[in-house]
Amino acid sequence: MNVRSQISMVFHLDKCIGCHTCSVACKNVWTDRKGAEYMWWNNVETKPGTGYPTLWEDQEEYQGGWEVSDGKLRLKSTSKKKIVFNIFHNPHMPSIDDYYEPWTYNYEHLFDAPAGDDQPVARPISQITGELVQIESGPNWDDDLGGSPVYAANDPNLEGLSEEQREQLSSVERLVYFYLPRICNHCLNPSCVASCPSGALYKRGQDGIVLVDQNRCRAWRSCIAACPYKKVYYNWFAGKAEKCILCYPRLETGQAPACFHSCVGRIRYLGVLLYDASRIEEVALKKDSELVEAHRSLILDPHDPEVIAAARAAGIDEGVLESARKSPVFKFVKEWKMALPPHIEYRTMPMLFYVPPLSPVISSRVNGLVDFDSTDFFHDIDESRVPVRFLANLLGAGEEREVRYALRKQKAVRWWRRAQTAGDVSQETALRMLEEADCTPEQAEAIYQLTSLCTFEDRFVIPPMHREQVIEQRQSPRQAQSSAGFGFTTGTGRSI
Amino acid sequence: MTVHGSIGFSCAMLFLAAGLSAQSPAEDYAQSCAMCHTIGGGPLAGPDLAGMSSRRERAWLVRFIVDPQAVIDSGDATAKALVQSYQGMVMPAIPDMTPERATALVDYVRQQEGNGGAAKTAQGAAPEPFTPQEAERGEALFSGLEPFEAGGTACIACHDTGGLPLLGGGSLGPSLTHVFQRLGGRKGLETWLASPPTPAMASLYRRKPFSEQEITALIAYFEARAAGQAKPAKHADFLLLGSAGTVLLLFIFHLLWRERFHGVRARLVRQYRTRGVQ
Amino acid sequence: MFDTLLFGVLPYVAMFTFFLVTIQRYRQRSFSYSSLSSQFLENRKHFWSLVPFHYGILVVLTGHIVAFLFPRELLAFNSRPVRLYILEIAALTGGLMTLVGLMSAIFRRATTAKIRTVTTVSDWLVYAMLTLQVANGVYVAVVHPWGSSWFAASVSPYLWSLARLTPDITTIAPLPWGVKLHIVNAYLLIGFFPFTRLVHVLVIPNVYLWRKPQVVRWPGRSRPYPAA
């Protein structure tokens, strides 16, 4: 057993209202710079939809992530042998057209325009060239199903859906969508790190945050193609790769990352997970259908004395162990099995988990009336407007089992609370539902507490990181400032 | 090493080279002139120098020896006539030649005239004609199939004879198709090749000289070629072959990377537009 | 004297500048060591520019280096005219590929607005020098064949004399202007190299091919630690 700690995340999709506050918070803090205008380290996508960059989930196109060939893990885009021949032109790298050309408006025209018959308007100008542009696309272009015949209709997760289910997605009064906020997953088996020819990308040993060493990045661009989630971006001005840094400067000072902190719907949870690093490869080689469970099996119980002993032997701080025991992520992912990794079939072992959305149907209708006493409690999960198949493609590597389990538990908890408060569901029914959903009243209460009444401290259990001590032992803090994450204190090298 | 260091170092080398050329006129004559000229021994690649002092003015001679091309370029009638009589061949400039050295050489030649031509005379009777085997060996040496004993580079690198197959010889140096006539036949070539006077040849073959047999074989080959036609260099063929290779490779690149990413968003929009609004 | 300056002094000045500035730049501004790829801004012409250019120049540079390091072996290889011709055609193909790629790259950079915004004066200088060098090289290859042989015979001894710090320019002094221009421009390129984006050549990935796929950095450990 090789115990390591990882700062992990849970996003509760049932609570996300798609307000993009997280994206804006992140943008204001980190990517409001030249070359980074188009980057959204945090973005919110509407599902069904093709996301950002367009169709990022289609690995036939983008060739991101890992594949298993001859019983070995191999990068899909540029494996070691291929990198030599593809270093001049990366054959799988998306260009700016697949994100969008960042723009602003020439507001000064409102003031400078000569007198005329017409009201002056501020027209869009490119943030790259400064010239007038025709806006064709944006980071959330298909927000709330905008342009769905082009975008939503091509969502790769629609695979395996019946014709009727597909049609329903665009028919008035039946259509449905939910939001998928995305940041870097800080994977256990990151393909971006594995693909970097310069060794610039790395995973921090102490907390698992994946970073790009800006001084070692040489713009070979492999990471951008290799990341199946397209969460490594290319700064076209600096000639460097950049990505979500999980606000590590904030984490190191005990604050939640900007997107977590600003989340209006309180959908985000952050905490430590202990995992067994010696089993990563073994797990990543499993069949698609076993991946979700195998991934979960990597996560170790921080209450288990054996795990604690191994963690201490591996040099994990007591403070980290303490926060691992309080981790909300551990509860959602391991204890309750309600949070699932996105597209685990890419085999990067993402450490961001999603609680699947239950909305909008929560009850069955018989003759137009809500029937609370049906004996088949969970049939409506299959009749949900968001097809389970769709969620399974997104969160279960195509397997419906895990998604169904998470949805059933969510529904059971709701009915349990309904029995406690509204009283229109009998205690007996609620208990029976809990039982069928593999849940106890205590667990249901805990789920309810952490879902609905969670405080700041409940949601974000940030371990003490003591990085400042480590840095001071090794180098001057000022030097450290430019050696990790992003940003630079010297020029870009574009001119002499 | 610093910049200043390297400049100083190079200058030192320069002075060293200049110092080395301080030698007696006799040695100088042997090294710089004897491969093309005799004094009373008949013409080789260049004219017989016997009677030179009476034919030309002393100042003209010094000027010509220091820089032959400059004198010809100045429109000097004598020099022009001389070039014409040697089929356009110009005497190569002798490296680091100074008026002082040239004066010493002119004096040396006049003195030798007085001595009745102590310098080389033609050797014996007319030599036997070349055998075809010698000419064949000459071609092998020329094209590199047989290496020179001293390790000199094969002639094909820079010269053509109009008789080589495929793409022929190089054209950094002049075509050697008619070198037999140009450099004064067998006798002239023998002395010329024994110690090539032009700077390019000298720099390559002074340290790796041709053996006597090699010279004979080469001359045999040149004699055999002399009857033939000089062919223009095959630059166009060569360029064409290179261009064909380039086009082929570009096509192969296209095939190898035909699955490369061409963008998806624009395609989705295009597909939708061609399908039309439903 | 002019020859001595160009071929006896300039190479040392160029090499000195090259080493001093590249090392200084790597130590103090390693952030600026980047290929500054613009593939992200323009993806299609990029393929037809960068791929032919780089593969072409790899072939050509390898040829020059082999002729410098192993002149004897090269001459031995060239001793059969057919082999000489094949080698020369391959080299010329490499040169033409470089030229095609370079022209395409210049066209791409000049005509794409997005790329122009990330182009600096030093980029254009590099392009100008490279164009001169490559076009001149192709000219020499075509007009003064067979370079693979006479390079090994004339230029290699000169380069070795430079390497031994005893510059001897007698073998290259009689070469035609085209070749001399090629040599002088090469020195200028070497000298200008460390000030430009060309430094990316020096940081081509090496350990990647044999390092473990995952990189984990631990605080307090100076070397990146290969993951299990």
Side-chain angles (χ1 to χ4, degrees), chain A residues 102-107 123-127 133 135:
Chain A
W103 74 88
T104 179
Y105 298 88
N106 58 350
Y107 295 109
R123 291 163 71 192
I125 51 172
S126 164
Q127 281 183 305
V133 283
I135 301 168

Side-chain angles (χ1 to χ4, degrees), chain B residues 9 153 157 168 170-171 235 253 262, chain C residues 44 85 97 142-143 145-146 153 165:
Chain B
F9 176 77
T153 313
S171 58
H235 297 160
F253 283 170
H262 283 301
Chain C
R44 285 166 181 253
Y85 299 147
M97 289 268 287
V142 173
V143 176
W146 303 115
L165 303 183

